[in-house]
Amino acid sequence: MTSLGGVEMVDWNLAVATATRLVKPGPEVSREEAREAVAELRRHAAAAEGHVRGFTRMTPDGAADTPVLVVDRPGWIRANVAGFRELLAPLLGKMQARRGGGPGGAVLGAVGGKVTGVEVGMLLSFMASRVLGQYETFAPPTRDLPGAPGEGGGRLLLVAPNIVHVERELDVDPHDFRLWVCLHEETHRTQFSAVPWLRDHIEGEIHAFLGETDIEPSALLERLREAFQSLAGGSRPGGDEGEQGEGRSLVELVQTPAQREVLGRITAVMSLLEGHADYVMDGVGPQVVPSVAEIREKFQKRRAAGAGRLDQALRRLLGLDAKLRQYRDGERFVRAVVEETGMDGFNRVWTSPNTLPTKAEIAQPADWIARVHRKAD
């Protein structure tokens, strides 16, 4: 990560340093317990691969297969900073070019990349203790962060200390819980490795969203001010009650009308991916995870609860509440389509970007079936 410095809008090295310094320590485990947890996660990831591919009938191209990396919290932070740096480079380049012009540019120039790096690091430190696993696809492969061959790489991250923490918190069988988590995360790995166009499609949509961002520095500072008011529990100036009064996420606060259209498409595909992973996890789980019902019930309660007022405010600000809705809405869509058309019928969703569901179709699966199946038939 020492190569990520330089004069940039975000000091990425400082973001890593800040996040790793602020992130909470993981659960107390002996060296032997840690080795056993890592080894078991690797075994479960390998076993989950066969379970998921058999259930979904999705077979990745061998050349596109991706590695599984069991990481600690700092490892997750470094991987995500590398991904963010790659993904945000076009937007930050535009802002860098405009930073020197106008009063807003002078203010942002004075604040500099170091303050931004600290802010990014603070948010990552919050996230790093909560993520159980992730398919990271945007960071280029390096020696310390290996990925699939080709541009963009791609790797499955399993965050061992967080998995151990949650299994203890829920008081569930650790062996069952670790396999259960691997089933969900392996589904994401299968989605991207079996659907070659998916990564580029999502990256293109994110770049389209960022490309529509209002990059006037003064406007950006105003949006950030609103975001922090949201975190403090206040409503937006001039806003009415209801959704705005409850505080909106950072993503919602930077939207333009054009961005809302792009964000609708991104929300739909992320709902599909998360819902599909939950559906597969529930479909495979009863066959290979003896205590799956107990795990599912306890985990759902934990998802919905949050740790406290600050945790809930941060979840809302970062858009994590929307992610919870994606799990729920996407799983309902997948279940409804599979019940109506079978697994092979559902898998038509991976044919091309044109067969992905829209945000409206996620809520109304019959409309997707009518558009994709009946039109094709």
Side-chain angles (χ1 to χ4, degrees), residues 16 32 58 66 68 81 117 146 174-175 187 193 297 315 342 350 356-357 363:
V16 172
E32 183 61 29
M58 298 173 69
T66 55
V68 177
V81 166
H175 309 292
T187 303
S193 55
E297 180 182 2
R315 282 179 15 174
W350 312 116
L356 291 172

Side-chain angles (χ1 to χ4, degrees), residues 351-371:
T351 304
S352 75
N354 293 330
T355 56
L356 291 172
T358 64
K359 188 176 180 181
E361 288 170 341
I362 288 288
Q364 297 291 335
D367 291 347
W368 180 86
I369 294 172
R371 176 172 67 87

